Amino acid sequence: MSVKHEERDTAPLHPSSQSDIDDLEILINSPPYPSSVLPAQPPPPPPTIPISTTTSSPPLLKSTPPTKSTVPSNSSRVVGGGGGGFGSAPNTLTEPVWDTVKRDLSRIVSNLKLVVFPNPFREDPGKALRDWDLWGPFFFIVFLGLTLSWSASVRKSEVFAVAFALLATGAIILTLNVSLLGGHIIFFQSLSLLGYCLFPITLGAIICMLKDSIIIKIVVVCVTLAWSAWAAYPFISTAVSPRRKALALYPVFLMYVSVGFLIIAID
Amino acid sequence: MDLNNNQQPVGENYSHPEICFFHVLFKAASLAFYILSALFFNNFVIIFVVTVLLAALDFWVVKNVSGRILVGLRWWNEIDDNGESVWRFECLDQESMARMNKKDSWLFWWTLYLTAILWIFLGIFSLIRFQADYCLVVGVCLTLSIANIIGFTRCHKDAKKQLQQFAAQTFAGQVSSRISSAFSVV
């Protein structure tokens, strides 16, 4: 169990916010499990332990096959908690490397879809991006820094370093902000979400780099800003209680706007 | 349990040379690129992007591939149905763990720690030279490296604990089943 989470749980809340908490709990608990519309989410790797007599793993069992039969209960032993009712899900600890690559790629694609086609009226937006990964944030931050430094005429490296530091620390501070507001969001989940929501802005930056007209730039940045904010809105607003929604959303929007200004004003 | 009967002799070679290669490749590549690029060309953007990309690839390889194949461990974080963050630590069962190649795991752990130590040294150098932007590169690489160290160290501890628990459980189970069978006979 992460330390951050415990901190968040014990974060002192004002007594008057109890109603908020109740509302939030109702909000969280109300959707029963089957109603979740997890969009094309691959099931998490099931934490089952393989029976050691399995022969499905060429890399692991290159040595002599075991002659001893193992205890049958070994197969159902689960490390680190329950498997979440996945039954006899395929074991992923001995899978070929290619399967791991494919699973991670499909996860990135599904996470990206959530942001590219945002749907604030999704039934359970809080559950989205549950399968977080940090590839998206990493790539988008680096791409954004690259496009900014390319479009900058002087001191390209400083621009890149400043853009990277701004975006990375910005994402971390925003995440801290959400969790300090008593939000039900995990640090990495939020980091992943904020990073994926940079995707439209990155697109906008690339378009701005190619076009020189200032009017087109402003229009493109405004559109992509709205797109990014629209994508980030459902996640952040369900993470915190309704009364503090604005407090959590405002800094996010502020960071995106400042990035937009950076894109317009870079040359 | 005679688990160590068919163990590799000391002089035996790596059982997964290609995985070992990739395990070392990205670590060495990111370190080498960071060190050598300062000599040959002085473009911070390229240094940053390539070094961090290599470090990120190394992070992924260690976390998802070489960890489970070389030492049979894997860690990850997931969010359960209640929205709580759960750290999962996985390990192979006892028998497969005992069959792990000693050289493989030796290489895995040593390179894991050595990379972080080297990055710390490079970070100290860049601090001394007052290069804040290069500190950024080292900081990102060091964070990735340390995340894997923490993950796998905790995973290793967890695996040991699980094995002990399992051994105790099976022993208790055997004893109780024997007692019950004895009773059923009576």
Side-chain angles (χ1 to χ4, degrees), chain B residues 14 71 101-111:
Chain B
Y14 300 101
V71 289
N101 188 316
K102 291 282 185 296
K103 257 186 152 174
D104 278 358
S105 61
W106 180 87
L107 181 89
F108 177 85
W109 290 109
W110 273 100
T111 49

Side-chain angles (χ1 to χ4, degrees), chain A residues 186-205:
Chain A
I186 312 302
F187 182 79
F188 295 108
Q189 192 187 4
S190 162
L191 205 62
S192 166
L193 148 78
L194 290 170
Y196 270 107
C197 289
L198 282 176
F199 170 73
I201 294 185
T202 311
L203 270 186

